[in-house]
Every structure is written in C-alpha cells, then in structure tokens.
Amino acid sequence: MGGVEEHIFNLSQCLLARGHKVIVITHSYADRKGIRYMTNGLKVYYIPIKVFYNQVVLPTMICNIPLLRYILLREQIDIVHGHSAFSTLAHETMNVAQLLGLRSVFTDHSLFGFADLSAVVTNKFLEISLANCNHCICVSHTGKENTVLRAKVHQDKVSVIPNAVDTAYFTPNPCRRPNDDETINIVVVSRLVYRKGVDLLAGILPKLKHLPHVHFIIGGDGPKRALLEEIRERNNMQDRVVMLGALEHAKVRDVLVQGHIFLNTSLTEAYCMAIVEAAACGLQVVSTKVGGIPEVLPTSLIILTEPTVDSVYRGLREAIRREMEKKQITSSRYANGSIDGLAPTPSKTSYNGLCAFERNQIVANLYNWNNVTERTEKVYRTALREAPASLESMMKNCLKSGVWPFVLVISLCHLILRFLDWLVPRKHIDLCCADNPFLSPDCERHRRRSEQAALTTAVRRKREKFS
C-alpha cells in the first residue's frame, strides 16, 4: 500500500471515528471486486473497471457515469474527495459529482514541472478538472505554490494540510539494531525509480566501500534495481548491501528499526512520508533538499543536502560521525562504571543529539491524524457552504482553461445523466443508511456481547481440558 492509499485509509478511519460516513471508490484489483468492508465498517467499492497501464484506468469521462451516479445517489454522498493528479477515476467521479449538485474536494500529493511535454499535458488536464472543484488541499506549501501555478487555481481555494504518521505504531526498538560498537546500518525504503534518486544512491555506494562497518538495507523494487545490484557486484559489497525487494507497508517499521540512519535521495517530493516514518522510529534522517522536504522535519531530526552525489556523501559522513560518537559515549558509560551509580566522565558524555524516543515524541507533537482530520473537516464545511454548481457555471469555468472542446464533454455528461434520470429514476434507487451502522450503539453492544461470549467459551474449554 502506497503513501496515497495509506493517507486515504487513515483519514477515513479518523472521519469514521468522528461520526461521519465514508466510502472509498476504486477500481478492481485482480479478483478483488465488488464491495468489501474494512476496519470500523469502512466500505470500499472495487468497481469492475479494467486498468491499462501501471494500475491506472483509461480516461473515458462517460463510460463510468451510470455506475458512479448509482453509487453516489445510493450512498447519499455530500462531498466527493479525490486524491492524486494521476487518478483518472478520481477526476471522473468529481466531474459526475459536480453535475449531480454535490461538492468536490481534491488533494494533490505530487509536484510537477512545466517544461517537458508530459508535464504540459498533465497540467492542462489538471487545470480543466479543477476548474469546477470547490476546494483543493496540498500537503506542503511548496506543493501549494506548484498547484496554483500549474492548475491556475486561486490561492484562496487551496489549503495546506500535511500528512501524518501513526507514532504509536512507528516506534523505536533499539534492540533490533546491531549490538556492537561499530556497525552502522543505513536504511533506504522507496520505489527504485529515477524520480527517487536511485542514480544518486548508486553513486554513493562505491564511496563508502572503504568503511567496512557501514551496511545498507534497501527496501523497494522498480526498474532501477538492476543498477544497484550491478554496483553491489562491481564493488564486492554483497555482504554489506542487502536488497529486500518490494515491502508491504505493514513490514516497513520492522525494517526501519534495524537502522541508525535513513537515507532519502528523491529528486522531487511534495511531502516525503518515508522520512517522517523513519524519524518516528528514531533514525537520523539524511535527505536531499528538494520540493517540500525542507518544511517537513526540524533541523534537529534531518540533515539536508543538495541532490548531488558529493553533497549526499558529505551528509552521510556527518550522520555516521554522529552515530559513532553516540556509540562511543554509550560504551564509555559502561566502561567507567556509571551504570553502577558512579558519575561518568563529563568529557566523554558531551553528546548533544537526540535519542530515538525523543525523536518519536517530536514527530508525535508535529504530526497526528486527529489534527489532520480536524483541518480536513473545516475544508469540508467550507465546501458545503458554497452553492451547488450549475451547468452554465461549469461550462464557463471550462472555457477559462482555453480547451473549448471540453465544454462538449461536460454537455454530453449532463445529457447522459438526464437520460439516466429518466431510465433509472432516483426514487427507484434503494438508499443506504446515512450513518455508519458499525459505530451505532446497538452494534457496539452486540460486539461486546460477542466478545464476552467468546471469552466465556474459551475459559470453559480450558477448564474442560485441564479438569
């Protein structure tokens, strides 16, 4: 599960806990189709749409209208919240929602350029899609500036709400680190693609081969994995560079706690979730100074470098020096008997860095999902105060983008919806419960009775076994 999916899941759980009804609409994954229920009754629609490239559905704008209309009306939705500029399904659903008189909110998780052809095309499509959006959310101030410029959204309609991390789960565990006084583990967890700066990582590995106590743990997969394996073989570092391959998000924490330093070499990032999770696990973070990364963590938790091999190498050497200094101080405390109550030598305990649990506490104070949810609720209330968009206003907003043919697309979508209102009238659609039945008092009492009955049964079986 990627960063965007993790964001959607955690935000949905917090909204459910605050009494809201939340459903998630996505395309099917292999045999996962239909409706699934997740934690706390989160309802997920895996609609039967075929993907054609990199888990992305073909943007048709009209083929999915009947199914999306039925779901939105049946679930009595008020706001459609789309995520990611690459999600064609999100943009199509937001368009249908606006034509149905609902409100739409969009969260942008990425940064885009302005020069290459792919960026120009993507930015124009995003401008068209967000022309009728009630409000936008960006995960960093840098991301907000980028979205305002490339999608031509008014700055007053864009809010900055960062991601968060579950610091109760991403906790340090120093016992999982090497227990000797010299070994330093550097952890890298990311997709092995060009945008994540894998070429920088490939240039750094040979520079550290003369430090036998430095080891690398690399998690993730992608087209650049072959390059790292080639560098590892060429420099005879097979015993010091471990390639874990693709990781499930539930296993990321088990990898992070094995390290002392977390290395991020991204070439562009709106908000890097990986460095926040690493800091919460107590690792010293070394990262390239690109995009919104400088505003994510305080300087006490991160060493920022330029996106060059030499600069990242210098940052790593500084982080290694700090870790070695901390290891020497820790061992000296045991050597001079301070563990038995004797005062340690002041000159050997002048380390001013933070311990792993102090790092976790700082991240917990900076980022938590309750705060993110409260700020997102304010955006929802702002969107609900706006009047529903009319067909005329939607067409005028599309004309401002300069892509006149898209007005015909909006008109066609409107005609299809009017035809569906005649073919399948709204009064014939069976409505779902407006509240989350899993969080109702009756459901909670039933759950407690079930747990008590299960506990009683288990106790009775144990008594019968040992009697």
Side-chain angles (χ1 to χ4, degrees):
M1 188 161 59
V4 177
E5 292 85 353
E6 185 73 13
H7 177 98
I8 294 173
F9 179 79
N10 288 323
L11 179 61
S12 300
Q13 292 299 318
C14 291
L15 289 171
L16 288 170
R18 297 173 71 88
H20 301 283
K21 177 183 177 180
V22 182
I23 68 166
V24 176
I25 301 176
T26 184
H27 60 78
S28 59
Y29 289 86
D31 61 340
R32 184 175 285 268
K33 301 176 182 178
I35 300 174
R36 302 289 182 97
Y37 286 92
M38 296 187 176
T39 308
N40 293 327
L42 176 61
K43 192 175 185 179
V44 182
Y45 282 86
Y46 292 93
I47 58 180
I49 302 178
K50 295 290 186 180
V51 299
F52 78 105
Y53 173 73
N54 198 23
Q55 294 298 330
V56 177
V57 300
L58 186 68
T60 62
M61 294 303 296
I62 59 174
C63 294
N64 303 318
I65 289 180
L67 187 55
L68 294 175
R69 169 187 176 269
Y70 191 87
I71 293 175
L72 296 178
L73 294 179
R74 173 179 166 80
E75 296 289 348
Q76 305 182 65
I77 300 300
D78 297 314
I79 297 176
V80 172
H81 190 167
H83 290 263
S84 179
F86 295 106
S87 176
T88 56
L89 182 60
H91 294 297
E92 290 182 15
T93 309
M94 290 164 57
N95 181 57
V96 173
Q98 288 286 344
L99 290 170
L100 291 174
L102 309 179
R103 280 66 167 186
S104 62
V105 175
F106 176 74
T107 296
D108 197 356
H109 296 266
S110 304
L111 296 178
F112 286 87
F114 300 89
D116 57 290
L117 181 60
S118 62
V120 172
V121 174
T122 304
N123 294 344
K124 180 54 69 174
F125 274 112
L126 187 64
E127 179 185 352
I128 297 170
S129 178
L130 299 186
N132 296 300
C133 185
N134 294 100
H135 207 88
C136 296
I137 298 174
C138 294
V139 294
S140 65
H141 291 279
T142 303
K144 176 180 177 178
E145 295 176 3
N146 186 262
T147 301
V148 168
L149 290 174
R150 63 191 176 90
K152 296 182 174 60
V153 182
H154 195 277
Q155 60 180 1
D156 293 339
K157 295 181 64 176
V158 183
S159 300
V160 177
I161 303 177
N163 286 327
V165 63
D166 185 3
T167 53
Y169 174 73
F170 285 94
T171 54
N173 185 4
C175 297
R176 295 288 305 278
R177 297 176 178 177
N179 56 7
D180 57 66
D181 294 337
E182 291 194 1
T183 303
I184 299 290
N185 281 348
I186 300 176
V187 178
V188 179
V189 178
S190 74
R191 298 192 307 274
L192 302 182
V193 295
Y194 171 78
R195 189 174 69 85
K196 294 297 183 178
V198 178
D199 296 290
L200 293 179
L201 179 59
I204 292 167
L205 289 177
K207 287 179 171 289
L208 293 174
K209 68 178 181 179
H210 65 282
L211 299 177
H213 60 281
V214 176
H215 296 248
F216 281 85
I217 303 175
I218 302 176
D221 205 350
K224 290 285 186 177
R225 177 173 180 172
L227 173 63
L228 295 180
E229 291 178 342
E230 179 184 350
I231 295 297
R232 181 179 64 172
E233 298 288 336
R234 186 184 303 169
N235 292 276
N236 296 321
M237 299 177 69
Q238 294 90 335
D239 59 331
R240 293 168 48 198
V241 179
V242 179
M243 306 286 292
L244 301 178
L247 292 174
E248 296 180 6
H249 190 265
K251 298 180 180 179
V252 171
R253 186 253 176 187
D254 296 332
V255 175
L256 292 176
V257 295
Q258 300 177 35
H260 303 87
I261 301 169
F262 182 83
L263 176 61
N264 173 59
T265 56
S266 295
L267 301 180
T268 174
E269 286 283 359
Y271 179 99
C272 186
M273 196 67 196
I275 64 174
V276 181
E277 293 173 347
C281 290
L283 278 70
Q284 171 70 59
V285 177
V286 178
S287 175
T288 48
K289 186 169 57 175
V290 296
I293 289 179
E295 58 188 89
V296 174
L297 293 175
T299 55
S300 59
L301 299 182
I302 188 171
I303 298 175
L304 294 173
T305 69
E306 297 297 327
T308 63
V309 173
D310 291 336
S311 181
V312 176
Y313 173 69
R314 288 193 296 269
L316 267 181
R317 289 303 301 264
E318 173 62 21
I320 293 171
R321 184 193 63 80
R322 294 181 184 180
E323 288 298 327
M324 293 302 299
E325 179 182 351
K326 183 165 63 174
K327 282 176 172 286
Q328 292 173 1
I329 291 171
T330 304
S331 61
S332 67
R333 287 178 176 175
Y334 288 89
N336 63 21
S338 62
I339 193 171
D340 297 325
L342 300 178
T345 306
S347 60
K348 293 185 178 182
T349 58
S350 58
Y351 177 70
N352 296 322
L354 300 171
C355 76
F357 295 95
E358 289 175 329
R359 297 175 190 274
N360 178 271
Q361 188 58 47
I362 292 175
V363 175
N365 295 335
L366 288 174
Y367 303 108
N368 65 84
W369 282 110
N370 290 328
N371 178 265
V372 170
T373 306
E374 291 176 3
R375 295 162 70 175
T376 306
E377 282 181 324
K378 293 180 181 178
V379 172
Y380 291 162
R381 286 192 288 267
T382 301
L384 288 173
R385 284 195 293 266
E386 298 183 11
S390 63
L391 178 62
E392 180 183 0
S393 64
M394 292 183 65
M395 296 175 70
K396 287 182 178 179
N397 291 334
C398 289
L399 285 174
K400 294 178 182 178
S401 66
V403 185
W404 291 18
F406 197 77
V407 176
L408 300 178
V409 176
I410 296 293
S411 304
L412 180 59
C413 293
H414 174 74
L415 292 175
I416 293 174
L417 287 172
R418 297 290 74 80
F419 173 74
L420 291 172
D421 284 339
W422 171 80
L423 183 64
V424 186
R426 300 190 183 194
K427 63 181 180 181
H428 293 164
I429 296 178
D430 187 20
L431 301 180
C432 291
C433 178
D435 299 322
N436 184 7
F438 288 82
L439 298 180
S440 63
D442 294 337
C443 181
E444 183 66 19
R445 285 194 293 269
H446 177 72
R447 184 183 64 81
R448 291 179 180 176
R449 286 196 298 268
S450 300
E451 291 178 353
Q452 185 64 32
L455 180 61
T456 304
T457 303
V459 171
R460 188 182 69 253
R461 289 178 177 176
K462 285 186 177 180
R463 288 177 178 174
E464 292 174 353
K465 180 179 180 180
F466 293 103
S467 59

